[in-house]
Every structure is written in structure tokens, then in C-alpha cells.
Amino acid sequence: MVSVLAVVIPLAFAGAISPMMLTEQTVLLAGRDGRRVAGCYALGVGGTLLVLLSVLVLFGGSIALPEEPSLSASLDVVLGSLLVLIAAVLRYRRARTPKPEKSRDRGLNPSQAVGFGVFSMATNFTTLAVMVPVAKEIAASDLDVLARLIVVCIVVVVAALPAWLPLAMTLVAPDPARRGLQALADLIDTRGRLVTELLVAAVGLFLVGRGIAHMVGW
């Protein structure tokens, strides 16, 4: 399990760097019935990610079996190359500036907040992109069902950090949380894209290198 986590956790952190999602959750917390609505938003985000990752793992189990090393190595090369390409696209794509003042989520009720969380995760391109190699890594491992479930849950918790961390911070320490969230938002705004690009590119290169090494019999 440790070797699998060593690959998937960096990817999960890369997927967790989402200025837009952090901004959405911060705005929700500041609105009417903030904690309850924010909790529903986090539930929608986490539930969607859990379902999508589980489906990808189940699908990946049929195409990336441990007893097929050449196929697994080829998938490593393909997925790694795609991640490097994604990192390049992120590097040169114009960043979207979050506009919380125009967000539609300020007046949401709990059920709408769940739907908004589902929508936010389902349209989060970076997070979904990095979940594909995560699912492949889990599916191609020799972990049993329980261990795979544990790894999936760990990935979901890490990748959904922007959805649940602001809420947790306000529950633990409301006043410091406000300052901390602003500092975190500023940090992600200035360095978030760069960290995401570097993490995605690094893991992509690692997968390509590992796939080539397996293909040549190293």
C-alpha cells in the first residue's frame, strides 16, 4: 500500500490545488446558513469524486491487470505523456480569475449546495485528469478490496481539501480561520498553478520513465 500511496498522494495534492473551488467554499461560508450550506457543498464534491474515482478503478481493473506487465507499462507511458501534456496546457493556458462577487452560490439552500458541489467537481478538469492515473495505479496494484477502498478514500480526502478544509477551519477556530483562509487563498492564487503544473509534470515524467523501464525489462 505504501508504494501505491507514494504515487497517488502527490497526484491527489495536485488535484486539490483549486483556487476556484476554494473561493466558492469561502463565499458559501460567508453567506446565509454558511456552515450548513458549506457542509452540503463539501458532501457534493467529495461524493462525486468518490463515485468517479471508484468507477475509474473498476474500469481500470479490466485493462491494467498486474499479470499483464506490458499492458500496464504501455498505460504508464500513455498516461504519463498525457499528464506532461496537461501540465504544458496548464502552463500556457490563461488563468481564470475567480469572481466570488458574481457567484451564484451565495443564496443556495442545502440541497442546491450539494448539486453545486457535484457540478463543481464534475467540471474540475485538473482534478479529474489526475484521477485517471490514480485509478490506474490502484487498479493495477495487488491490493485487496479493503486496501483499495482505503486508498481511494485517502485520495478523495486529499483531493477534496478545498471543499472541506475551510469548513473544518471555521469549526475549530472561527476567527483565525478567516485570516488563514485569506492567506491560503492568496498563496494558491500566486503559486497554486505553478505547484499544480510541477506536480502533474513530475508524476507524468515518473510514469513515462517507469513504463519505459518495464518495457525494456529493467
Side-chain angles (χ1 to χ4, degrees), residues 15 34 40 49 63 83 109 126 129 160 163:
C40 292
L49 184 56
I63 62 173
L83 284 176
N109 60 42
T126 303

Side-chain angles (χ1 to χ4, degrees), residues 22-205:
L22 179 63
T23 300
E24 291 167 351
Q25 186 66 304
T26 302
V27 171
L28 281 172
L29 284 167
R32 175 170 48 86
D33 200 12
R35 290 181 180 175
R36 184 183 179 193
V37 172
C40 292
Y41 174 84
L43 181 63
V45 169
T48 302
L49 184 56
L50 177 61
V51 170
L52 291 175
L53 182 57
S54 298
V55 170
L56 286 173
V57 170
L58 290 174
F59 175 73
S62 67
I63 62 173
L65 300 175
E67 61 265 28
E68 297 289 346
S70 60
L71 178 56
S72 183
S74 300
L75 284 172
D76 274 343
V77 173
V78 171
L79 291 176
S81 300
L82 287 175
L83 284 176
V84 173
L85 178 60
I86 289 170
V89 171
L90 290 174
R91 178 68 181 87
Y92 293 104
R93 188 185 64 181
R94 179 176 298 178
R96 292 187 304 167
T97 302
K99 297 180 179 180
E101 70 277 4
K102 294 184 180 180
S103 178
R104 295 173 300 169
D105 50 46
R106 184 171 289 277
L108 297 182
N109 60 42
S111 61
Q112 290 173 330
V114 173
F116 186 56
V118 172
F119 175 81
S120 295
M121 177 52 66
T123 56
N124 191 325
F125 173 76
T126 303
T127 301
L128 295 181
V130 299
M131 287 302 105
V132 176
V134 166
K136 183 266 176 188
E137 193 69 23
I138 297 172
S141 70
D142 57 358
L143 299 176
D144 58 30
V145 175
L146 179 59
R148 291 188 183 195
L149 180 59
I150 292 173
V151 173
V152 167
C153 290
I154 292 174
V155 170
V156 170
V157 169
V158 173
L161 272 171
W164 64 261
L165 183 60
L167 177 61
M169 291 173 65
T170 60
L171 292 174
V172 173
D175 292 333
R178 193 160 36 249
R179 297 189 295 270
L181 286 173
Q182 185 58 54
L184 182 60
D186 292 341
L187 177 63
I188 291 180
D189 260 346
T190 56
R191 300 295 182 185
R193 285 174 60 83
L194 177 61
V195 173
T196 301
E197 294 156 9
L198 292 176
L199 280 174
V200 172
V203 178
L205 291 173

